[in-house]
Amino acid sequence: MSELIAIAIGSAFINNVVLSQFLGICPFLGVSKKVKTAAGMGGAVVFVITLASFVAGIIYKFLLLPLNITYLQTIVFILVIAALVQFVEMFLKKKMKGLYNALGVYLPLITTNCAVLGVALTNVTKEYGILEGVVNGFATATGFLISIVILAGIREKIEYNNIPKSFKGTPIVLLTACLMAMAFFGFAGLK
């Protein structure tokens, strides 16, 4: 149990997928203008990464390894992720129309979000079992959710501040993300 907790804390805070590994930057910067939209995107990413970790782990362990075709792992994982994102997109379109419209083009981009594929490949590289892989996936996605919501909250506050013209827009967002990465680096002492 302590190993699972260590994996979860390490994946969410110490090795944060966005602020430490620099995966998933596109939706992190693109969807973080409003907290509500950022939370919706984070929730969708949590669902997709957790489920993708589970399904990819099963496919890897019970199909790719026994058949000795592990060289196909990247292609198989991409197909699994694409199918899961389609499921999420259909669900949001039917049940949460406002969130679906707010996420716009970024929802289908979860398919190509390198963080999702990165987690599946990390699970294989670190030789995690299915349970450890799911915990890693959930914690990594939770770290993404925490990061994107914090950035969105800061961006909402920045909007009402007097910022020099040269820092408005993308420069201040990148500077904020940089400061967040430095702050999350402080979690490295938790190991």
Side-chain angles (χ1 to χ4, degrees):
M1 185 65 162
S2 62
E3 182 182 337
L4 294 178
I5 293 171
I7 290 171
I9 290 173
S11 297
F13 297 108
I14 299 167
N15 298 316
N16 186 282
V17 70
V18 177
L19 301 173
S20 175
Q21 299 176 22
F22 307 113
L23 299 174
I25 297 291
C26 178
F28 177 69
L29 296 175
V31 187
S32 61
K33 292 179 183 170
K34 300 285 180 200
V35 171
K36 186 176 180 180
T37 308
M41 176 59 131
V45 168
V46 167
F47 178 78
V48 170
I49 288 181
T50 304
L51 202 54
S53 296
F54 177 71
V55 174
I58 288 176
I59 290 172
Y60 184 80
K61 182 174 182 176
F62 295 112
L63 185 68
L64 298 179
L65 271 178
L67 295 176
N68 198 24
I69 53 172
T70 56
Y71 58 88
L72 293 175
Q73 70 188 12
T74 304
I75 295 169
V76 171
F77 293 168
I78 289 172
L79 293 174
V80 166
I81 292 164
L84 291 172
V85 170
Q86 287 302 311
F87 173 72
V88 170
E89 189 172 4
M90 289 186 305
F91 175 79
L92 289 179
K93 189 173 185 179
K94 194 145 188 111
K95 301 288 183 187
M96 300 175 171
K97 193 78 166 169
L99 180 58
Y100 174 80
N101 291 332
L103 292 175
V105 72
Y106 292 101
L107 185 59
L109 282 178
I110 294 175
T111 303
T112 58
N113 185 344
C114 54
V116 183
L117 180 60
V119 170
L121 293 174
T122 298
N123 291 342
V124 170
T125 304
K126 291 189 175 183
E127 297 180 357
Y128 286 152
I130 294 171
L131 179 60
E132 290 93 353
V134 170
V135 169
N136 181 50
F138 178 76
T140 300
T142 301
F144 178 86
L145 172 66
I146 291 166
S147 301
I148 196 169
V149 168
I150 289 172
L151 181 64
I154 293 171
R155 285 181 77 173
E156 283 184 359
K157 297 290 183 193
I158 288 174
E159 198 173 302
Y160 300 108
N161 290 322
N162 188 12
I163 298 170
K165 188 176 180 179
S166 60
F167 281 105
K168 285 191 179 190
T170 304
I172 194 69
V173 174
L174 292 175
L175 185 60
T176 304
C178 174
L179 292 172
M180 285 177 59
M182 289 169 45
F184 269 67
F185 183 70
F187 288 120
L190 291 176
K191 280 187 174 178

